[in-house]
């Protein structure tokens, strides 16, 4: 079957055209083909087919689908390709059938050829891709705005391919061959200056400078007459160079960027709001903006939902985003920018972009070091996708602007307490301002929560509650929760209680005296028991973003069982939310209110003591967790925890890993909070304790950031030993990030500090780190020298664990140098010592090294046995990277022994893990499997890091 959408819609089978029926039936098929192999909802199809839908569009859609199946069947084609699914309809397309998919594949091949400097092959692929276009996509078929935006994006890719094809052909000296196509396209797209510049370059390169100069005048006339603008700098500079008869060269042939990671479809939207009510006008406004997204050419549509605190901006944004999520098939990104966080911990654009790159499954080693480059990568990833990006709770345009995509196709929804007028003026953002609810809408909101009968039964009390809540959604939600919790209370009593509380409070005004949010929050707060009220206040001091019961117990200095009861009381009052079992968070207004109350009611020494207790909780529990991960890891000596601290008990490595994963974001925030709050010792110690956790998880950027914080804290303290730990941690982080120059710098600074402190064990650790940096550059002889120095330093310090690990390092580098028998001697000595000392972590690394040496000496059975034992040990530590790495080498050993089946099994297991953790070594394993399928395997010569 041939399916064609790059021009008039056509379906061909067995050399004959298939009749597809009337325009609306054809439009249904067009929508299914544009989103081939994906489920398309009936709502989506309705908006494609009709401007004004009939009373029962679903019935009509079913008729059209049945008609398409019948026509395909009559033509001898497979009508079962059109499948009815639970969520809608799906058209199955196989490779090579749909011209739109073939076009994309040929463009990808062309870009790959460009990257490999094979310009003739690239030009041929572009030529084939462009040859698939028979006119405008779905020409002659009326389509709605839903399809229009996707077709506009497809046309943009077409024009980009034309430009790159022309550039490639000109680089091959084939200027004459592209002039005709470029002349045709500048007539169709007269405002696209890239096409004009390539036409001028082609004419000039073909020896026709007069025509090139005339092309500039034509472009200038069109731009001035139609847009009132002069040509851009690039076009003007090219014109001047041709006038001066200077040699002009085509722009550089684009090179394909390295793949940033596996394709993923992020679904980050928070849960929709229960009982969402009203806001019909604002929802219609957002719908209209979305429907008009194709009218603005290359601009990215941005909506700014603004309004006072508690007016329901996030609720509206999340509700609307869920309503239209199916229109963004490539996913939805969401981030809370914490623009008005009471702790002042506003999220930076760099932090937000890093979170988006993680959501888009970009491998850590593919993420650039600089924030600017990370923003560029983020925009590149979104350039060919249709995504919804929700930027919640933004403070200002500087926080938002770096997060805007650079190419059309996506839509950005921003919420802020500020109007962000600069974004409206400069980026053409659409403002959507939320005001207080009308009385009718407020009544509907309460009816959704409390039931229509209860609200209509006491209309006067409801009106008084609405007035007391100032028609503010947040205040109404709190009041509604109070009423909902006590269904037997008359609403009149609740209205009087609310009125009485207002009279005795200081005014907390948002905009004017009518919007008194503090009254509502105070009312809920005053219903708490004294112990729950104190816990609520202290939670305002927690680093965030959420807290577990043991941490809350430490904050309050109370037993965990007592705090769990208090947290349940707070949750019933809707002052905290148990968003996951045993984990609690609250709205930023509530956090601000809690912090304000803490300042008012709790003394500065009491507040500082509470913060110290929670920092002790995280420091000591994290230390226990990391001791379970590796009992022989160098651990810090820390003072006993303060009285009242609850250190969460962890039974084994599995519990330790679960706790570290659950508390990951909190631990990072705790380090930052400790440093900013005058607890520098906690800051650097916690950063060091978390090294293994961050390293095992591939969180190398977090490793670098936490140790930069630790370094500043150590310097404020004047603690040279702490500075040594921080420099050493930075060396390891930058080595993993591939920034080997910075890694070497920080390791050398650490080495100087440890020498100054006369700490041979610290020096030995750094020598091993320097060895790993050199090994990544294939400088194995120098790396071996550093491992030998580490051995001598550990021997002088009587550190037997360190001696064994250094011996393994020496053996590994000897093996990399081809000295396999020497490697066996060193590694066997290390293994004997590690087994005597029960150093399972070191034993795993050494077994891996022994497997490598045995493999290259032809002792394949010994190699397999060593690798298998190493894998089991690494698995016990939860070290997924080293499990996968060992499986890769195990596959090599099986293959060398002639057991291709076992080799393939090991490599596939390794690939699954590398893909899961997003590590670049997945490419190495894929290459192994590809060669295996082709009938041979040749292991690569990539530099091997130290073990």
């Amino acid at each position: 079957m041939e399916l064609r959408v790059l021009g008039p819609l056509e379906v061909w089978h067995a050399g004959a055209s298939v009749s597809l029926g009337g325009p609306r039936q054809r439009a249904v098929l067009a929508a299914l083909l544009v989103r081939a192999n994906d489920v398309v909802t009936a709502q989506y199809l309705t908006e494609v087919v009709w401007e004004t839908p009939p009373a029962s569009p679903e019935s009509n859609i079913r008729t059209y689908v049945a008609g398409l199946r019948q026509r395909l069947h009559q033509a001898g084609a497979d009508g079962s390709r059109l499948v009815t699914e639970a969520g809608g309809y799906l058209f199955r397309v196989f490779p090579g059938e749909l011209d739109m998919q073939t076009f994309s594949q040929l463009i990808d091949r062309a870009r790959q050829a460009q990257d490999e400097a094979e310009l003739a092959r690239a030009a041929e692929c572009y030529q084939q891709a462009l040859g698939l276009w028979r006119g405008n996509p779905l020409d002659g078929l009326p389509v709605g705005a839903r399809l229009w935006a996707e077709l506009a994006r497809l046309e943009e890719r077409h024009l980009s391919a034309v430009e790159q094809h022309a550039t490639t052909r000109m680089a091959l000296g084939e200027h004459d061959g592209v002039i005709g196509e470029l002349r045709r396209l500048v007539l169709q797209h007269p405002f696209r200056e890239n096409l004009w510049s390539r036409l001028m370059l082609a004419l000039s390169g073909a020896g026709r400078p007069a025509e090139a100069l005339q092309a500039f005048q034509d472009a200038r006339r069109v731009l001035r007459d139609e847009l009132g603008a002069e040509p851009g700098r690039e076009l003007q500079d090219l014109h001047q160079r041709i006038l001066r008869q200077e040699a002009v060269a085509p722009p550089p042939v684009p090179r394909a960027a390295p793949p940033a990671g596996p394709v993923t479809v992020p679904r980050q939207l928070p849960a929709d709001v229960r009982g969402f009510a009203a806001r019909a006008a604002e929802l219609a406004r957002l719908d209209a903006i979305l429907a008009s997204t194709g009218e603005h050419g290359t601009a990215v549509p941005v909506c700014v939902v603004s309004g006072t605190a508690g007016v329901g901006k996030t609720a509206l944004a999340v509700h609307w985003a869920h309503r239209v999520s199916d229109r963004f098939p490539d996913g939805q990104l969401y981030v809370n920018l914490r623009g008005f966080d009471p702790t002042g911990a506003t999220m930076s654009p760099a932090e937000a972009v890093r979170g988006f790159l993680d959501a888009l499954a970009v491998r850590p080693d593919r993420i650039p070091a600089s924030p600017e480059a990370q923003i560029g990568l983020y925009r590149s990833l979104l350039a060919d996708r249709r995504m919804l990006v929700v930027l919640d709770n933004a403070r200002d345009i500087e926080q938002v602007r770096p997060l805007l995509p650079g190419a059309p196709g996506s839509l950005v929804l921003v919420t802020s307490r500020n109007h962000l007028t600069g974004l409206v003026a400069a980026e053409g953002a659409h403002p959507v301002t939320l005001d207080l609810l009308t009385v009718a809408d407020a009544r509907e909101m309460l009816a959704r929560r409390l039931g229509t009968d209860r609200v209509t039964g006491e209309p006067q009390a409801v009106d008084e509650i609405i007035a007391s809540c100032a028609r503010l959604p947040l205040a109404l939600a709190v009041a509604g929760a109070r009423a909902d919790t006590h269904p037997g209370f008359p609403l009149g009593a609740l209205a009087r209680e609310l009125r009485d509380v207002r009279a005795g409070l200081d005014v907390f005004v948002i905009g004017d005296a009518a919007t008194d949010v503090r009254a509502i929050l105070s009312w809920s707060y005053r219903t708490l028991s004294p112990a729950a009220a104190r816990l609520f206040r202290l939670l305002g001091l927690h680093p965030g973003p959420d807290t577990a019961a043991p941490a809350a117990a430490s904050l309050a200095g109370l037993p965990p069982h007592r705090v769990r009861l208090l947290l349940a009381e707070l949750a019933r009052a809707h002052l905290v939310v148990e968003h996951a079992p045993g984990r609690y968070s609250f709205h930023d207004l509530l956090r601000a209110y809690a912090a304000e109350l803490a300042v008012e009611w709790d003394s500065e020494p009491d507040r500082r003591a509470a913060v110290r207790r929670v920092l002790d909780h995280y420091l000591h529990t994290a230390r226990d967790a990391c001791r379970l991960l590796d009992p022989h890891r160098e651990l810090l000596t820390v003072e006993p925890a303060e009285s009242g601290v609850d250190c969460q008990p962890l039974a084994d490595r599995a519990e330790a890993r679960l706790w570290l994963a659950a508390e990951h974001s909190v631990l990072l925030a705790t380090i930052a909070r400790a440093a900013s709050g005058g607890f520098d010792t906690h800051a650097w110690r916690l950063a060091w304790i978390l090294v293994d956790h961050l390293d095992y998880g591939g969180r190398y950027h977090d490793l670098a950031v936490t140790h930069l914080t630790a370094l500043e804290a150590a310097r404020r303290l004047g603690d040279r030993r702490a500075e040594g730990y921080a420099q050493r941690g930075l060396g390891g982080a930058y080595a993993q990030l591939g920034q080997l120059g910075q890694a070497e710098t920080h390791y050398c600074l650490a080495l100087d500090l440890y020498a100054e402190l006369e700490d041979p064990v610290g020096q030995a650790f750094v020598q091993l780190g320097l060895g790993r940096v050199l090994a990544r550059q294939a400088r194995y002889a120098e790396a071996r020298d550093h491992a030998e120095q580490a051995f001598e330093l550990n021997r002088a310090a009587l550190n037997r664990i360190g001696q064994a690990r250094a011996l393994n390092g020496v053996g590994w580098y000897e093996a990399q140098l081809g000295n396999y028998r020497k490697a066996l001697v060193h590694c066997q000595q290390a293994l004997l010592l590690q087994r005597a000392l029960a150093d399972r972590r070191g034993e795993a690394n050494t077994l891996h090294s022994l497997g490598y040496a045995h493999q290259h000496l032809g002792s394949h059975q010994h190699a397999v046995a060593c690798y298998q034992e190493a894998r089991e040990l690494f698995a016990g530590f939860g070290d997924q990277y080293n499990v996968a790495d060992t499986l890769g080498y195990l596959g090599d050993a099986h293959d060398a022994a002639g057991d291709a089946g076992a080799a393939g099994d090991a490599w596939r297991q390794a690939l699954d893990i590398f893909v899961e953790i997003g590590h670049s070594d997945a490419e190495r394993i894929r290459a192994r499997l590809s060669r295996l399928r082709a009938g041979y395997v040749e292991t690569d010569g990539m530099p091997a890091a130290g073990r």
Side-chain angles (χ1 to χ4, degrees):
M1 195 181 298
E2 294 179 55
L3 308 165
R4 302 174 182 174
V5 298
L6 302 180
L9 176 65
E10 294 180 357
V11 175
W12 290 73
H13 178 69
S17 176
V18 177
S19 174
L20 299 172
R24 287 178 175 160
Q25 188 161 293
R26 293 166 65 85
V28 169
L29 179 61
L32 292 168
L33 291 179
V34 168
R35 298 177 66 174
N37 298 321
D38 283 334
V39 174
V40 180
T41 66
Q43 177 65 30
Y44 180 93
L45 294 173
T46 298
E47 295 180 24
V48 167
V49 174
W50 292 282
E51 261 188 55
T52 305
S56 56
E58 292 83 2
S59 175
N60 292 37
I61 294 293
R62 286 194 294 270
T63 300
Y64 295 143
V65 169
L68 287 168
R69 288 189 183 124
Q70 183 178 6
R71 287 179 178 269
L72 290 170
H73 180 73
Q74 288 172 348
D78 185 4
S80 65
R81 298 275 201 96
L82 209 172
V83 180
T84 301
E85 297 278 358
Y89 303 92
L90 175 148
F91 197 105
R92 289 200 180 97
V93 171
F94 298 114
E97 291 186 328
L98 179 60
D99 57 358
M100 184 176 76
Q101 290 183 348
T102 304
F103 170 75
S104 295
Q105 291 162 3
L106 285 166
I107 294 301
D108 290 343
R109 291 176 198 165
R111 290 175 177 167
Q112 182 180 358
Q114 287 174 337
D115 195 40
E116 295 167 357
E118 295 183 22
L119 300 188
R121 181 162 62 91
E124 181 183 353
C125 290
Y126 279 126
Q127 186 74 41
Q128 292 175 16
L130 296 172
L132 296 170
W133 286 72
R134 299 168 290 109
N136 295 325
L138 301 178
D139 197 14
L141 189 65
V143 296
R146 296 299 297 270
L147 255 188
W148 195 98
E150 296 190 42
L151 298 184
R153 185 173 62 161
L154 187 58
E155 178 61 25
E156 178 65 27
R157 291 199 72 194
H158 173 230
L159 293 175
S160 176
V162 169
E163 292 165 0
Q164 295 192 36
H165 178 227
T167 300
T168 306
R169 293 281 296 276
M170 286 189 283
L172 291 166
E174 300 172 7
H175 297 78
D176 285 306
V178 298
I179 290 172
E181 177 71 2
L182 289 171
R183 282 196 188 279
R184 184 181 66 81
L185 285 169
V186 295
L187 294 175
Q188 293 180 0
H189 304 278
F191 306 137
R192 195 175 180 95
E193 293 190 34
N194 278 347
L195 289 174
W196 284 108
S197 69
R198 280 160 176 77
L199 176 58
M200 291 170 64
L201 285 165
L203 289 166
S204 177
R208 297 152 66 177
E211 293 179 61
L213 294 172
Q214 183 58 49
F216 174 81
Q217 295 303 328
D218 293 341
R220 186 184 187 200
R221 184 179 62 257
V222 169
L223 293 169
R224 292 180 67 178
D225 291 351
E226 300 295 331
L227 302 179
E230 289 289 335
R233 174 67 62 187
E234 179 186 349
L235 215 55
Q236 293 191 42
D237 289 348
L238 177 58
H239 176 240
Q240 291 300 316
R241 292 201 303 274
I242 296 172
L243 277 174
R244 293 193 297 266
Q245 298 184 352
E246 296 177 2
V248 293
V253 176
R255 302 292 296 274
V263 176
T264 190
V265 179
R267 308 287 188 192
Q268 290 191 307
L269 294 178
D272 200 356
V273 180
R274 170 181 165 266
F276 184 87
R279 301 300 189 195
E282 291 83 2
L283 291 169
R285 164 83 168 138
L286 291 170
D287 287 341
I289 294 168
L290 177 58
S292 66
T293 52
E295 299 174 3
H296 304 287
T298 59
V300 176
V302 180
C303 305
V304 177
V305 178
S306 61
T308 190
V311 81
K313 301 179 293 295
T314 298
L316 173 72
V318 170
H319 179 70
W320 184 76
H322 277 285
R323 275 185 30 168
V324 301
S325 61
D326 67 303
R327 306 190 194 185
F328 298 92
D330 296 320
Q332 304 88 43
L333 296 172
Y334 171 90
V335 64
N336 179 2
L337 294 171
R338 305 196 302 267
F340 300 88
D341 191 288
T343 66
T346 301
M347 181 179 287
S348 69
E351 184 181 358
V353 164
R354 176 57 205 268
F356 284 165
L357 293 177
D358 286 343
L360 292 164
V362 180
R363 297 193 300 262
D365 62 300
R366 295 292 193 187
I367 296 177
S370 71
E372 293 78 12
Q374 292 181 18
I375 290 168
L377 175 58
Y378 158 71
R379 286 176 171 159
S380 297
L381 291 171
L382 264 61
D384 290 324
R385 301 188 186 191
R386 182 160 173 76
M387 301 191 73
L388 177 61
V389 181
V390 181
L391 308 177
D392 194 16
N393 200 11
R395 175 173 288 276
D396 49 40
I397 59 174
E398 286 75 22
Q399 198 180 21
V400 170
R401 188 170 281 132
L403 305 177
L404 300 180
S410 296
L411 183 142
V412 180
L413 182 59
V414 185
T415 73
S416 178
R417 296 184 196 176
N418 293 328
H419 289 293
L420 303 185
T421 51
L423 203 63
V424 176
E427 270 74 27
H430 303 273
V432 179
T433 303
L434 289 192
D435 202 349
L436 301 174
L437 294 172
T438 65
V439 172
D441 285 345
R443 190 178 290 111
E444 180 187 354
M445 179 178 173
L446 288 174
R448 291 277 184 96
R449 288 178 174 269
L450 306 178
T452 303
D453 291 344
R454 193 174 180 195
V455 169
T456 56
E458 295 185 70
Q460 186 174 347
V462 168
D463 287 344
E464 187 173 351
I465 291 171
I466 291 171
S468 296
C469 292
R471 294 179 287 117
L472 191 69
L474 174 62
L476 284 164
V478 175
R482 169 73 168 162
D484 197 22
T485 304
H486 300 284
F489 283 18
L491 295 182
L494 295 176
R496 287 192 299 275
E497 185 179 358
L498 176 60
R499 183 177 64 247
D500 293 339
V501 172
R502 280 173 52 91
L505 289 174
D506 295 334
V507 176
F508 178 73
V509 176
I510 301 178
D512 63 278
T515 53
D516 188 354
V517 176
R518 183 188 287 162
I520 305 302
L521 299 180
S522 301
W523 175 54
S524 292
Y525 170 74
R526 291 190 176 204
T527 66
L528 300 173
S529 65
R534 175 175 175 269
L535 177 60
F536 175 71
R537 297 194 304 269
L538 295 181
L539 285 171
L541 309 177
H542 186 274
D546 62 358
T547 184
S554 299
L555 191 68
L558 295 172
H561 70 276
R562 173 68 175 139
V563 164
R564 287 189 180 90
L565 295 174
L566 299 178
L567 286 168
E569 182 180 347
L570 294 177
R572 287 194 298 273
H574 288 257
L575 290 173
V576 299
V577 175
E578 189 175 10
H579 67 91
R583 302 198 69 83
Y584 299 84
S585 61
F586 48 21
H587 185 282
D588 58 0
L589 280 179
L590 289 166
R591 182 184 292 274
Y593 180 59
E596 177 187 302
L597 288 172
V599 171
E600 180 180 354
W601 292 99
D602 301 296
S603 68
E604 196 279 334
D606 286 347
R607 297 197 305 274
R608 189 167 178 83
V611 171
R612 183 182 184 89
R613 284 194 300 269
V614 78
L615 294 178
D616 275 0
H617 162 79
Y618 288 121
L619 179 69
H620 285 267
T621 308
R623 184 173 181 270
D624 291 345
C626 291
R627 184 189 286 118
L628 286 167
L629 290 184
D630 183 0
H632 294 286
R633 183 178 184 267
E634 179 188 14
L635 286 178
L636 301 173
T637 300
V638 298
E639 298 81 7
E642 292 285 311
S643 175
V645 172
D646 177 54
C647 294
Q648 189 164 338
L650 303 170
D652 51 29
R653 287 195 193 111
E655 283 195 11
R657 292 198 302 270
L658 288 172
W659 183 84
L660 288 165
E663 301 289 353
H664 174 80
S665 297
V666 179
L667 291 167
L668 298 184
T670 299
I671 293 170
R673 179 64 180 276
S676 65
F679 293 93
D680 285 327
T681 300
H682 285 79
W684 79 259
R685 285 175 171 173
L686 189 53
W688 177 250
I689 284 169
L690 293 177
V691 165
D692 280 352
H693 162 63
L694 297 175
D695 189 30
Y696 290 176
R699 289 276 185 173
Y700 308 130
H701 283 272
D702 290 341
L703 190 60
V705 169
T706 54
H707 278 79
L708 285 170
T709 301
L711 182 59
E712 293 171 359
R715 286 174 172 169
R716 283 193 296 268
L717 292 167
D719 188 332
R720 303 289 280 172
R721 186 170 299 280
E723 187 176 343
Y725 281 116
Q727 295 283 15
R728 183 169 136 200
L730 283 169
Y734 286 125
Q736 292 284 26
L737 289 168
Q739 299 173 38
L740 303 182
Q742 289 201 61
E744 186 171 358
T745 296
H746 285 288
Y747 271 139
C748 288
L749 290 169
L751 194 62
D752 292 342
L753 285 164
Y754 284 127
E756 173 190 322
L757 294 166
E758 298 181 351
D759 181 352
V761 174
Q763 293 176 65
F765 275 113
V766 175
Q767 291 287 2
L768 286 175
L770 284 167
R772 285 189 286 271
V773 170
L774 292 166
R776 287 176 182 268
Q777 303 168 66
R779 295 159 63 183
Y780 299 120
E782 296 170 75
R784 178 191 57 197
D785 294 342
H786 282 281
E788 288 173 344
Q789 292 180 62
F791 175 78
E792 294 300 332
L793 286 162
N794 279 310
R795 183 163 62 178
L798 303 178
N799 179 14
R800 299 177 72 201
I801 294 288
Q803 288 179 58
R805 293 187 179 187
L807 274 173
N808 175 53
V810 173
W812 176 254
Y813 298 130
E814 289 286 10
Q816 299 307 310
L817 290 165
N819 303 323
Y820 304 117
R821 296 203 178 278
K822 283 187 177 181
L824 283 180
V825 172
H826 289 294
C827 292
Q828 285 167 348
Q829 290 176 356
L831 187 65
L832 287 172
L833 189 53
Q834 286 161 339
R835 284 179 169 167
L837 297 169
D839 178 11
R840 300 300 184 194
R841 176 77 193 177
E843 185 181 342
N845 279 313
T846 301
L847 283 164
H848 185 289
S849 301
L850 284 166
Y852 186 86
H854 281 305
Q855 176 186 336
H856 286 80
L857 287 170
S859 301
H860 302 307
Q861 288 186 342
H862 284 98
V864 167
C866 288
Y867 284 139
Q868 287 177 336
E869 191 174 355
R871 178 193 58 187
E872 294 303 319
L873 287 170
F874 283 129
F877 286 97
D879 186 346
Q880 292 197 76
Y881 168 76
N882 274 305
V883 169
D885 184 57
T886 305
L887 282 166
Y889 282 97
L890 176 61
D892 293 347
H894 281 307
D895 184 71
D899 191 345
D905 289 343
W907 286 330
R908 278 185 285 272
Q909 291 178 58
L911 180 61
D912 288 344
I913 297 172
F914 279 137
V915 169
E916 180 183 345
I917 66 175
H919 201 281
S920 60
D921 279 2
E923 298 306 317
R924 172 169 59 88
I925 302 301
R926 282 195 182 98
R928 297 275 205 279
L929 288 166
S930 296
R931 296 189 195 109
L932 182 66
R933 285 191 291 270
Y936 70 95
V937 175
E938 178 182 337
T939 58
D940 53 55
M942 294 174 60
R947 298 211 63 82

